[in-house]
Structures are given as C-alpha cells and as structure tokens.
Amino acid sequence: MSVPVAITGLGVVSALGVGVDAFRAGLWAGRSGCRPVQRIEAPPGAHAAEAPMLEPRRFAHTPQGRRIDRTSLLALASARLALDDAGLAAAVIAGARTGIGLGSAFGNIEETGHFLDRLLEKGTGNPLVFPNLVMNAPLSYATIEFGVTGPSAMLTEQEASGEAAIAWGAQLVADGAVDVCLAGAADELTTSLHQLRRETRTIAPGLPRPFDVDADGPCPGEGSAVLVLEALDHARARGARVYAVVVPHPGFGVPSPVHGWTRDAQAIAVGLRHVVAGAGLVVASASGQPSLDAVEAAALADVLPAGAVVTAPRGAIGDFGAAGALAVVVGALAVASGEVPPTLGCRVPRAGLPVVTGVPRVLATRVAMIDGLARGGICRPLRLEAE
C-alpha cells in the first residue's frame, strides 16, 4: 500500500536569485529574470534568464567538489538549500533510507564542448575533466556529497526532465523504499545553446509572452530546483513543515513528431482530465513558443475546472529543460500559501484561458496540477494537494 508523500523542503537557483525566498519574492512580485545577456556570448541586445554564479565551496564540502561542473553545482546547491529549508542535516540523511532522483535535458554542455575541442585539436583531453561529461555527473556529486546509498537515478525527458525526476522520487517514497528522497533537476545555459536557439528561431526577439495570442518565442534560461520528499508520517514525526502532498503520476505520451510539439490537444486533454479534477491552479509549461502554447491552451480550455486559474512561470525564469522542477516549486508554494503568482508578458490569453496576470490571485481550492509537457509527446503531470 502506498503512503502519502510530503514536500518538506524547497531549494532553488534561478535568474530570480538563490534560495526559495528570493524565488518566491521575485515571482510573486512580477519581476522578470529575462535580462540582457552577461555571462555567455550573444549578440548585443540578446536576452536570457541567467542564474547567478555560485561559489563552489559554499555548497560542495567534499574534496570531489573542487572539480565540479556548473550543471552539477546548480543541482548540488539546490539540494543543499532544500535540506536546509526542510531542517534536515546532511549527516541525518546519509545511508540507504534516502534516495536521490535528478533530471537534466542536456547535462554539462560547456565543459563537454571544451573537452571535445581540445580532443580534436590535440588528440587528447584532460582525464580529470572526463567524469563531469557523463549525464549522471550531477547525481554522482550529490550522492557522494550527502553520503546517500539508497536508490538513485538520473532522468532526461527534454522539457519534462524535472517533473520526471520528481515523479520518480515521489513514487519511491510512496512505495516505502525510502523515508526521504531528494528530487529535482538542473540545466545550464551555454553560448552554443543560445546560438542554436537563434539559428532555429526558437527565441523571442524581446521578452517572452506565454499564452499570449501574439507570442513570438521563449527566452532561454537556466537554473535548478530540488525538493525534499518524505513519507508524510515521517515528516509529522519530526515536526516538519509540509508545503504540499504529492500525488505521483506515471505520465503518458501522445502522438507527436520526435523532436517537435504535438498538435493533438484532445489527446493531452484526455490524459490530464482526471489529474486536474478539483484543482484550483494549473502551473503550465507555456514559454511563449507558439506551437506549444497553442496546443496547451486548447487542451487546458477543455479540462480546466470551474474557478481554476493558470500561471506560466517560464515568462519570468526562462525556458530550459529543468524549468519543470521550478514549476513544481511554484505549485507547492501556491498550495501552501493559497496564492498564485502572475504570468509575465501575457496580455490577451489564447483560448480565453483564465491566466493570472498583473497581481497574485487567491486559489479557489488548495490543489495544483503541473501539466509537464515536453517535445516528442511527453506528458508528465503532477498533482499537489494541501496536507
């Protein structure tokens, strides 16, 4: 028999700042993290949602941390921040009754590019860097850092990588395999990724406008979010604060081009109908990408409960593979506070959706759904409920 799964800690690194308090303050106040590019190379006037640079020694305490890559550092920082938020010391979670599940759409691109350039030029690469290039590097750093020997997994499902990792972790706790699981995702923004999006015209010429009828592209971003998931009885026994209870969902697929967005809104609606029932909020995947926003708006218009509202955080934090993990944070904060943050850039919503704009809105019911859409027909919805 499955047990209820509580979210007791939130750790975030985003373009709005470091920590869940900075994230919440910025998002609920309607501040945008999409700004003129500073860290990566890009044409003058280009925008991106760049996360702050992090000091490795603040978050990586083991000797292995001296060689940590940016994607792994983002994940590790969010994991440590989440543990602090949950009131759990790293020494307490060490062992086999803790799991870790992390997601990433691309992993460590920057160091991989440098390594391959050197390999092609000189025929050899730095062997000390090579461990950072594998997709599960963030997971390895985290398990070593916290001494976790329980189940662990690295998942990559494009834009739904974060939701996939959190769903995996929640199911692990629900099944009783562990008492605590750290689950989330991280992705970095690089010069090559920004250039690719410009060349494929999947980038907004200005600021993004999720769900707006005139949306013309997303804003590239980066960041990380990790949640502490616990068996609800375990959380209550130690007097932990509970943001929300997660209802795990296995996800589903719909017909779609392999690397494109589905056009089958009806198939999405059918899959979401029972997950969204009774919800007061949908935290959407909309980024300002017209093909995504159109199909998502049509699907939600078909299944949205009466009185429910929609918010799309990618208008403020940018569009990247791990952004879904931050969407789950938004849902948890909304359920806990009863208040929904606004969507930036949306003036005339598609399909007449009740998109929250301007100022925060009060939740009709303390239930939120994260719809978790990704290219290739991937759908990874999660349902969050008040304790």
Side-chain angles (χ1 to χ4, degrees), residues 3-305:
V3 301
V5 181
I7 299 172
T8 59
L10 302 172
V12 182
V13 179
S14 76
L16 296 173
V18 177
V20 68
D21 290 340
F23 178 72
R24 187 191 191 288
L27 196 63
W28 263 252
R31 291 199 293 270
S32 177
C34 299
R35 308 182 186 95
V37 170
Q38 295 182 341
R39 190 178 62 81
I40 62 172
E41 296 178 15
H47 284 67
E50 297 173 298
M53 295 298 291
L54 302 175
E55 171 52 53
R57 286 177 294 183
R58 177 183 171 189
F59 302 105
H61 300 165
T62 57
Q64 287 82 2
R66 291 176 297 180
R67 300 188 183 280
I68 195 168
D69 61 279
R70 179 166 170 78
T71 302
S72 296
L73 180 57
L74 287 168
L76 187 60
S78 285
R80 191 170 288 283
L81 290 167
L83 288 172
D84 291 345
D85 187 51
L88 283 171
V92 173
I93 68 162
R97 291 298 299 173
T98 299
I100 299 183
L102 295 175
S104 184
F106 296 108
N108 177 14
I109 294 180
E110 188 167 22
E111 275 195 341
T112 300
H114 294 328
F115 183 89
L116 292 175
D117 286 344
R118 180 182 173 89
L119 188 65
L120 292 172
E121 288 177 10
K122 300 187 176 182
T124 183
N126 183 352
L128 296 177
V129 172
F130 185 78
N132 288 350
L133 312 186
V134 297
M135 198 66 183
N136 67 337
L139 183 70
S140 299
Y141 277 110
T143 54
I144 293 170
E145 184 73 24
F146 301 124
V148 170
T149 58
S152 62
M154 193 78 194
L155 297 93
T156 178
E157 293 193 10
Q158 302 198 64
E159 292 85 355
S161 296
E163 293 95 332
I166 293 168
W168 180 87
Q171 192 63 58
L172 199 68
V173 175
D175 290 343
V178 295
D179 298 319
V180 177
C181 187
L182 297 170
D187 269 302
E188 66 175 337
L189 178 64
T190 65
T191 298
S192 58
L193 268 180
H194 199 275
Q195 181 179 351
L196 175 64
R197 300 195 76 153
R198 293 198 312 272
E199 292 178 354
T200 56
R201 298 181 180 179
T202 53
I203 188 170
L207 295 178
R209 293 178 284 176
F211 280 136
D212 192 85
V213 293
D214 293 323
D216 51 6
C219 175
E222 63 177 353
S224 59
V226 171
L227 286 63
V228 175
L229 305 174
E230 294 184 61
L232 184 57
D233 286 347
H234 185 274
R236 286 173 174 167
R238 67 180 189 88
R241 169 192 53 198
V242 174
Y243 286 100
V245 173
V246 186
V247 180
H249 192 280
F252 60 95
V254 298
S256 172
V258 175
H259 299 295
W261 294 101
T262 182
R263 296 182 180 180
D264 195 341
Q266 184 59 35
I268 296 175
V270 169
L272 294 180
R273 195 176 304 278
H274 70 286
V275 191
V276 77
L281 169 66
V282 171
V283 186
S285 303
S287 63
Q289 177 67 38
S291 52
L292 162 63
D293 291 12
V295 71
E296 185 177 21
L300 293 180
D302 189 23
V303 299
L304 203 65

